[in-house]
Amino acid sequence: KAGVTQTPRYLIKTRGQQVTLSCSPISGHRSVSWYQQTPGQGLQFLFEYFSETQRNKGNFPGRFSGRQFSNSRSEMNVSTLELGDSALYLCASSSGTGSKKTQYFGPGTRLLVL
Amino acid sequence: GESVGLHLPTLSVQEGDNSIINCAYSNSASDYFIWYKQESGKGPQFIIDIRSNMDKRQGQRVTVLLNKTVKHLSLQIAATQPGDSAVYFCAETVLLTGGGNKLTFGTGTQLKVEL
């Protein structure tokens, strides 16, 4: 099975712009979670989507949003970018059901905000 | 709270020695724990997991120990190899009433294998 894929791998934006990141989960996985990774804050949970619905949300401002499509692919959008949004954005997929929900990560999208 | 913390930011070991990476967690409701390995420029890679009803689980060269009494998790790597050099994260999972779950990660430990 192919792993989780994320596009683009690298992105440079300026403050005030918006950005959309894409994630394709492992085939058959219905849950997609997004995380932000920075040196200072580590890995922080953004939100989880399951069957096109946001099922769980972390403590990020409303500028961070996402959606999931019927094929389980997910996008994450960040509007009005700030310098502090520079980070590695990771997507993880899981089956989303059952008590054991191991999440498998993609390679990430590295976003630099100038 | 839901904090997960690692005891040591950096661990240096000689090639061939065993490595032990520790992790403390604070949420007693956590029912599932995972260790991830992250190499430079890559996403976290699943290593091994353990449910809260277990206290030990073994994989290939790796063993995870769970002590719920003191809320402590450890990852043991046998015969550490240069390819084991990476940052290791522990993560805890809490099942939510809506059916979802959230991973809360520790800060990570950098494992350096010296030749």
Side-chain angles (χ1 to χ4, degrees):
Chain A
K1 270 186 182 179
V4 178
T5 58
Q6 292 186 245
T7 57
R9 292 293 312 278
Y10 303 93
L11 207 49
I12 300 176
K13 293 286 187 179
T14 56
R15 281 181 298 173
Q17 287 187 310
Q18 73 163 11
V19 66
T20 299
L21 312 181
S22 181
C23 171
S24 292
I26 292 171
S27 178
H29 283 186
R30 295 164 62 191
S31 169
V32 173
S33 297
W34 289 89
Y35 295 83
Q36 181 195 65
Q37 186 176 29
T38 60
Q41 299 296 321
L43 273 157
Q44 294 195 301
F45 173 75
L46 282 155
F47 29 65
E48 180 205 7
Y49 285 86
F50 180 78
S51 293
E52 302 179 65
T53 301
Q54 188 180 88
R55 189 162 68 169
N56 193 13
K57 189 177 188 303
N59 297 321
F60 278 81
R63 299 186 297 107
F64 292 81
S65 63
R67 59 177 176 168
Q68 187 179 34
F69 303 95
S70 58
N71 61 359
S72 293
R73 189 177 70 85
S74 177
E75 288 182 347
M76 190 193 92
N77 185 76
V78 187
S79 62
T80 319
L81 284 165
E82 301 177 359
L83 295 179
D85 296 333
S86 295
L88 180 66
Y89 289 89
L90 292 159
C91 160
S93 78
S94 74
S95 64
T97 59
S99 60
K100 178 178 171 181
K101 301 177 184 178
T102 302
Q103 296 186 18
Y104 297 91
F105 285 83
T109 294
R110 186 163 295 281
L111 172 65
L112 177 61
V113 182
L114 302 176
Chain B
E2 296 182 340
S3 65
V4 178
L6 292 179
H7 293 170
L8 298 174
T10 303
L11 176 65
S12 294
V13 298
Q14 293 291 320
E15 181 181 6
D17 287 351
N18 296 334
S19 303
I20 299 176
I21 301 172
N22 296 302
C23 174
Y25 65 95
S26 61
N27 191 339
S28 57
S30 296
D31 68 336
Y32 179 52
F33 303 86
I34 309 170
W35 279 99
Y36 287 93
K37 170 187 179 183
Q38 187 173 24
E39 297 174 280
S40 180
K42 298 182 179 180
Q45 175 188 359
F46 171 85
I47 301 174
I48 192 168
D49 58 3
I50 188 168
R51 297 192 195 204
S52 59
N53 61 355
M54 303 171 66
D55 53 20
K56 181 179 180 179
R57 188 157 190 236
Q58 288 184 293
Q60 187 177 18
R61 281 201 308 117
V62 294
T63 301
V64 55
L65 299 177
L66 175 62
N67 185 331
K68 293 182 289 295
T69 302
V70 296
K71 297 189 183 70
H72 184 268
L73 196 67
S74 69
L75 176 70
Q76 299 178 2
I77 304 173
T80 311
Q81 303 169 358
D84 295 327
S85 294
V87 176
Y88 289 80
F89 294 95
C90 66
E92 58 178 324
T93 300
V94 177
L95 290 179
L96 303 177
T97 56
N101 71 93
K102 180 179 73 173
L103 286 177
T104 301
F105 284 85
T107 54
T109 292
Q110 174 76 56
L111 176 64
K112 295 183 178 180
V113 181
E114 299 172 349
L115 303 178

